[in-house]
Structures are given as structure tokens and as C-alpha cells.
Amino acid sequence: MDRITESQLDIFCTEYSLVGRPQDNQFEHFAAFKRHYDRTFDPSEIVVGAGGDTGIDAVTIIVNNVLVTDIDAIAELAEQNGYIDATFIFVQAERSKSFDGAKIANLANGVIDFFRDKPKLVRNERLSEAAEMAAAVYKKVGMFRQRPALICYYVTTGNWVNDANLVARETIAKDEFNSMQMFSTINFHCFGADELQKAYNQTRNPISREFLFANRTDIPPTPGVGQAFLGFIPFTEFKAIVSDSSGKEILGSIFEGNVRDWQEYTTVNEDIQRTLASEARSRFVLMNNGITIIARTIKQANHRFTIEDFQIVNGCQTSHVVFNEDGLDNSVCIPLRLIETRDEAVIDSIIHATNNQSPLKPEQLFALMTFSKRLEEFFQTYPMPHTLYYERRDAQYDRLGIEKTRVVIPSNVIRAFASMFLNEPHRTTRSYKLLREQVGKEIFGDGHKLEPYYAAAYGLYRLDWLFRNDTTRFESRYKPARFHVLLAARLILNPADWPRMNSHAMADRSSELITALWSPESDHLFLEAIAVVDKIAGSNMQRDHIRQKPITDDLLTHFGLKPRTE
């Protein structure tokens, strides 16, 4: 392994708490990291490499722009969105300095077997779980917008030079995948050290784009804003901003400041598409609200602009429809509002105002903005090694040299809080929609103390750390029950009912819980909690069993509490 790749691998392993693992396992995590998914996630969730991996080291399943690591989430996403849009990504990682045609064939065979109803190759538990999720996706075939996409990566530390024999192996693999008639698009990539280093650097360096912005007006100086412009740009310049390095795909990470993600072809988006397909396309600039870009740095040389570390905070739907439309030329112009600021309060106010026309409930906007900002600041008031980072915006901590396992995404805070403080661990997956509906009410409520949210997040962080680093005592088979384990741990410490969420007593009780979770003895607390959950569940940790309300009811009854009515 060359020195640059090894140095990057060391940094990556430090950030993701993988330092103590064998280097081959570390490299599997590194090679699989952020392949077509820019949001924060634990790479350990997708690595399947071990005995019985059938030549596959990592499987990433993305459904409706969400990384799926739990089979129950597929039904939830289908119900939430009304459609299924899926991508399957497979990685084989070898530290070898050369590429091997047999390895390409092994990966292809493993992928083909992965999608068989009756596999011929022996699978390990992690790969079997991933295959079950894939099968669940295909059971929703009636909800497909199109067939799922398939992407394969064969990664080494060598130098890819388009060797004719290896390229032929790639072609054979793609032909075999195509004969399965299961995928809308098929891509097979061979990555060497150069490609791997470049891909990793892109996850750490600010995104930069250069484009012409001739038709604009300067906006007068505004407090908190470095410079700002209002105008429009032709289609080709717009596409240069939103395309990834290949120019073939839209750059998903630049939309993470949006209140909502790409919604596919809703009625409104179909109207935009029809306009672009008609003679009215030249009037698009007059008919559309356009896009708003916030950049931390704007450099200007006459009409040529360079923007760095930027986000499209409004116009996600417009951007996707325009990008996806074939045959557009510069008769199509897109309204553009371009703002340079590093002031988080200004950024929040712009996002709030530009998304105000979206049909969001007031309590949702409150939760996304005001409460989340308080959580972000509060989590970082605790000293290391107890600091957590609440991620208000996806990938906001990617370029900071911090331990990424300490970054807590909002959905996990909601799940952990609902488990420990609302006694509802069974709703964390298949009924997560019901939890989201409580945002702004029982969850992220105005006036709520912040200590219980930190306690829940830290409990989940600590438990996941134990599952990742103490695999002998914390067996992976218990992970489907981790939210029940969080509730059991809290009940072991103090089974009394919680005070009001906005009371000083709640802050005090939560602080006691935090102290216990910080203790080096917390591993014994979680082992005791696992034993309780294991007994109540009859040692059946299967998802369909453990994630039912009767298990939660029995757990509460075990500690002398009355089950919660729904």
C-alpha cells in the first residue's frame, strides 16, 4: 500500500473508531465509504466481508435517497413516499497492488447469487440480512418508478490502466447483470490508488464550481452577508454547478441544506417537466422561482464566478427536473439567487424564508431550525470524551477532523429519545412515521429540557461503540433490539415515571442518567439490560419478533410499570 493511501486510511480509521481492527477489514470500510451516499452513516453498517461473503465486502442499499440498514425501513419509505427508487452498490476491496480478472469474476458471481431466491453460495449473517432487504425491495415492484440501479466497485491499491483483458472481464460481468433483467442501469468501476485517494479527498474538501454569471444585479450590502447577486444563468452554466465530477449524475450533497429532499415526479414537478418539454421552455425563467445558493466563499473575475463550500438551499425540485430533462439548450435559463455568508443565523433565516412556501407544519420548521440549533450547541458543551455533535445539516461535520461516530443524526436522536423517555422502542423502525408526527409536540417540544436528548443520544453512541468494539460480549445478534436495550438500561437505573419535559426535575434526572452512562461501568449496565431483554423476548432477537409492542409492554411490566396505550 502506498504512503498516501495508508495515511488516508489511518485518518479514516481514527475518525470512525476502527483503529484496533485488522488492516484488511479497515480497508474494506475505507473502500466502501460514501459510495453514492453523501450523508452521515456508520460504514460498519454496510461492510459484510468475512467468511461466507461470496466475494462481496460491502453492500449499500439506497431507497428513496435513504441508506437502508434495516428491512423495516423499506416498507416505511414506500408508505411515506408512495414509490420505490432503489440503488444497489457492491464493493470488493483488495489491498493488492494489482488487479485480478478472477476477482472481477468472483464479484460478479457473488452479486448474481445475491439476487437469487435460492442462493447457491454459502452466505454469512450480514450478507443474508442485506439479501433479505434486497428481496423486500423487489417485493415492492408495483411501486417502482423504474428498475433499481446496480453499481459495482472492485478496489485495489494498484494502478488501473484499462488493461484489455480486465476491461473484457468488466464487460462480461455487465452483460451477465443485464441478462438478469432486474436493473435500469448497470455500472462496473475498477478503482486503483489514484481513484480511491481522489474519492476520499472529495469527501473532505469543500466542493468548488466555476461558471459564468453575466446576467445579474448586485444586491446592496447586508449585515451578515459578504456579497450577494440576483439574476439568471443559462442551462449549460447551471448544469456545471449541479453535476458531479463525471458530469453524468447530479451532485446530491449540495442539496443537504434543503428542508426536504428530491420528491421525484410529484404533480408540481411534472408541471415543470411539461414546461421544459414544450415551446414554453424559453419562458421558464419567468415561470419558475429558481434556485438559491449559499456559498461560504465567492470569487469573481468579471462574469466568471467561483463558489466554494456551497449549498442549494432552495430549488432542489427545480434542479433535479432540469438536470434530468434531455435535450435542453441555453434557451432555458434558471433564476439564481447567489449569497456569500458564513453566519449560521443568516443561513437559517434564508433557508426558513425561501422554504416558507413549502407545505410544512409550523412545528416541523421549529424543530428543524430553533430546537435543532439549541441541541447542536448543547451537545458540544460537554467535554471530551463525552462530546457529541448533533448534525443539523447533513454532512456538516464531514470536513472536520473529529471522530465521526460522535456525529448524531436527527433520526437517531428521535429514536433513542422515544425509546428511553417515551417508552416506545417498538416504533423506532416500522412505526417511525408515528414518531416523526410527534416532532414539535412530545419530541423537540418548545421548552423541553435538552439534557434528556443528550442522555438518549449518548446512550445510543455508547451502546453502538460496544457493539462495534466489544464483539465478544456484545454479540451482533442483539443489535436489532438495541432500542429496547436502551429502555431497559434506563429502567434498571430508575424505573420511576419521568417529570414534565420542561421541568428542572427532568434536567436533574437526566443528568443522573448521563453520569451513569459516562461511567466506565456502563458496559455492565448494558449487559444487564441485554439479559433482561433477552429473557423477555425468549432469546428470539428476530426483527419481526422483538419489534412488536407486546415485547415493550412485557419489558415495562417487568419493572412494575403500566404499558403505554396507543
Side-chain angles (χ1 to χ4, degrees):
M1 187 181 300
D2 65 274
R3 292 179 64 180
I4 295 176
T5 303
E6 190 165 16
S7 176
Q8 288 183 336
L9 179 62
D10 288 344
I11 294 170
F12 172 81
C13 290
T14 299
E15 291 181 342
Y16 284 92
S17 300
L18 300 170
V19 173
R21 299 195 177 195
Q23 192 184 62
D24 59 345
N25 182 257
Q26 292 176 339
F27 190 69
E28 290 169 357
H29 284 74
F30 185 54
F33 180 62
K34 293 219 168 185
R35 294 281 168 261
H36 301 269
Y37 191 76
D38 295 315
R39 296 174 178 174
T40 298
F41 69 98
D42 181 354
S44 296
E45 297 279 359
I46 62 173
V47 171
V48 300
D53 60 24
T54 73
I56 299 169
D57 292 321
V59 182
T60 303
I61 301 176
I62 302 172
V63 177
N64 298 357
N65 298 315
V66 175
L67 175 65
V68 174
T69 59
D70 189 290
I71 194 169
D72 291 334
I74 295 168
E76 177 77 19
L77 289 165
E79 180 184 354
Q80 176 184 331
N81 300 124
Y83 64 86
I84 287 288
D85 182 16
T87 300
F88 297 100
I89 304 166
F90 297 87
V91 176
Q92 184 182 79
E94 299 285 341
R95 290 173 294 165
S96 168
K97 290 186 177 181
S98 62
F99 290 88
D100 185 344
K103 295 288 186 181
I104 294 177
N106 286 342
L107 175 57
N109 290 335
V111 171
I112 291 169
D113 195 70
F114 178 87
F115 289 100
R116 285 195 176 109
D117 292 333
K118 296 181 179 180
K120 297 180 180 180
L121 302 175
V122 176
R123 296 174 176 172
N124 62 37
E125 182 180 356
R126 296 294 301 277
L127 189 63
S128 295
E129 290 174 355
E132 288 173 10
M133 288 189 284
V137 168
Y138 278 97
K139 285 180 181 178
K140 302 287 184 182
V141 64
M143 303 181 75
F144 284 0
R145 297 273 187 176
Q146 58 182 358
R147 294 175 182 175
L150 174 65
I151 306 170
C152 294
Y153 287 92
Y154 171 36
V155 182
T156 78
T157 60
N159 181 28
W160 177 254
V161 292
N162 290 310
D163 177 271
N165 289 326
L166 296 177
V167 171
R169 289 280 192 178
E170 278 187 325
T171 302
I172 292 170
K174 287 189 284 189
D175 288 344
E176 290 175 337
F177 296 150
N178 193 52
S179 67
M180 298 168 69
Q181 298 184 333
M182 296 178 68
F183 312 107
S184 60
T185 58
I186 297 169
N187 287 288
F188 200 115
H189 304 285
C190 289
F191 264 28
D194 287 346
E195 292 83 4
L196 187 59
Q197 292 165 16
K198 182 178 179 181
Y200 181 64
N201 283 334
Q202 287 177 348
T203 69
R204 299 178 60 81
N205 298 327
I207 299 169
S208 176
R209 290 292 183 270
E210 186 177 292
F211 61 99
L212 292 175
F213 192 9
N215 300 291
R216 69 184 187 278
T217 297
D218 292 14
I219 295 175
T222 304
V225 175
Q227 50 188 326
F229 309 88
L230 187 63
F232 62 89
I233 55 175
F235 167 72
T236 53
E237 301 301 325
F238 164 79
K239 191 169 184 179
I241 295 172
V242 301
S243 297
D244 67 2
S245 57
S246 72
K248 298 178 181 179
E249 296 184 22
I250 198 164
L251 188 64
S253 61
I254 63 175
F255 299 98
E256 288 156 356
N258 266 256
V259 171
R260 57 162 48 82
D261 210 331
W262 165 232
Q263 300 295 298
E264 292 290 338
Y265 284 93
T266 61
T267 301
V268 173
N269 290 343
E270 287 178 347
D271 286 343
I272 297 174
Q273 185 184 42
R274 278 192 291 269
T275 298
L276 293 169
S278 71
E279 294 181 357
R281 70 172 68 90
S282 61
R283 298 195 297 274
F284 185 79
V285 69
L286 305 175
M287 302 167 67
N288 189 272
N289 291 328
I291 63 175
T292 300
I293 297 178
I294 294 179
R296 292 189 176 271
T297 302
I298 297 177
K299 299 176 183 178
Q300 178 186 0
N302 196 9
H303 297 322
R304 184 162 294 281
F305 280 63
T306 300
I307 55 176
E308 297 177 354
D309 202 1
F310 68 96
Q311 285 278 303
I312 293 180
V313 300
N314 184 253
C316 177
Q317 310 308 311
T318 293
S319 297
H320 279 79
V321 176
V322 172
F323 183 87
N324 292 339
E325 196 65 19
D326 294 328
L328 295 184
D329 55 28
N330 283 348
S331 66
V332 175
C333 292
I334 294 89
L336 171 62
R337 185 186 292 111
L338 179 61
I339 303 162
E340 180 190 61
T341 182
R342 295 172 179 265
D343 189 317
E344 288 293 328
V346 172
I347 294 171
D348 284 347
S349 65
I350 292 170
I351 293 175
H352 188 126
T354 55
N355 285 279
N356 209 29
Q357 70 271 26
S358 303
L360 292 177
K361 297 178 181 179
E363 63 269 18
Q364 290 177 304
L365 279 173
F366 169 82
L368 289 167
M369 300 298 180
T370 309
F371 198 89
S372 291
K373 177 64 175 176
R374 292 173 60 207
L375 279 184
E376 179 186 22
E377 295 173 347
F378 184 78
F379 277 25
Q380 294 182 46
T381 63
Y382 290 98
M384 290 299 274
H386 307 304
T387 306
L388 295 179
Y389 301 88
Y390 178 80
E391 188 175 65
R392 286 195 301 137
R393 296 194 184 94
D394 289 337
Q396 73 183 89
Y397 296 108
D398 273 12
R399 300 177 186 96
L400 300 181
I402 61 175
E403 182 186 334
K404 297 304 187 290
T405 55
R406 293 182 180 273
V407 176
V408 188
I409 61 176
S411 60
N412 278 345
V413 174
I414 290 172
R415 288 181 167 99
F417 174 83
S419 300
M420 297 184 78
F421 291 85
L422 302 183
N423 300 345
E424 295 187 334
H426 55 284
R427 283 187 170 178
T428 55
T429 51
R430 62 184 60 181
S431 299
Y432 179 61
K433 178 182 178 182
L434 298 175
L435 292 183
R436 285 201 317 270
E437 291 172 352
Q438 294 303 314
V439 168
K441 301 170 185 175
E442 288 193 274
I443 302 171
F444 291 6
D446 191 6
H448 280 196
K449 295 296 182 182
L450 303 180
E451 287 83 357
Y453 293 94
Y454 172 84
Y458 191 85
L460 181 60
Y461 159 76
R462 176 63 177 158
L463 183 58
D464 280 345
W465 189 93
L466 291 167
F467 275 124
R468 188 167 53 248
N469 293 282
D470 193 351
T471 55
T472 301
R473 292 191 301 167
F474 290 82
E475 300 175 45
S476 60
R477 71 187 186 92
Y478 291 114
K479 201 165 184 180
R482 60 181 180 158
F483 290 105
H484 284 83
V485 173
L486 286 177
L487 174 57
R490 193 272 288 180
L491 294 173
I492 289 169
L493 289 171
N494 189 339
D497 289 335
W498 290 107
R500 289 179 294 107
M501 282 297 301
N502 60 354
S503 67
H504 291 298
M506 171 58 82
D508 292 341
R509 278 277 302 279
S510 299
S511 295
E512 293 173 2
L513 175 58
I514 290 168
T515 299
L517 293 171
W518 282 358
S519 169
E521 302 300 314
S522 62
D523 55 344
H524 298 298
L525 170 65
F526 283 123
L527 285 172
E528 184 179 350
I530 286 175
V532 171
V533 173
D534 189 55
K535 179 180 179 181
I536 289 172
S539 296
N540 184 353
M541 294 295 120
Q542 294 296 315
R543 288 174 170 82
D544 288 342
H545 177 69
I546 194 69
R547 294 173 178 177
Q548 297 184 58
K549 187 174 182 295
I551 299 294
T552 301
D553 292 346
D554 290 347
L555 181 59
L556 293 171
T557 301
H558 176 83
F559 287 95
L561 298 179
K562 183 178 179 181
R564 180 169 176 162
T565 58
E566 297 186 347

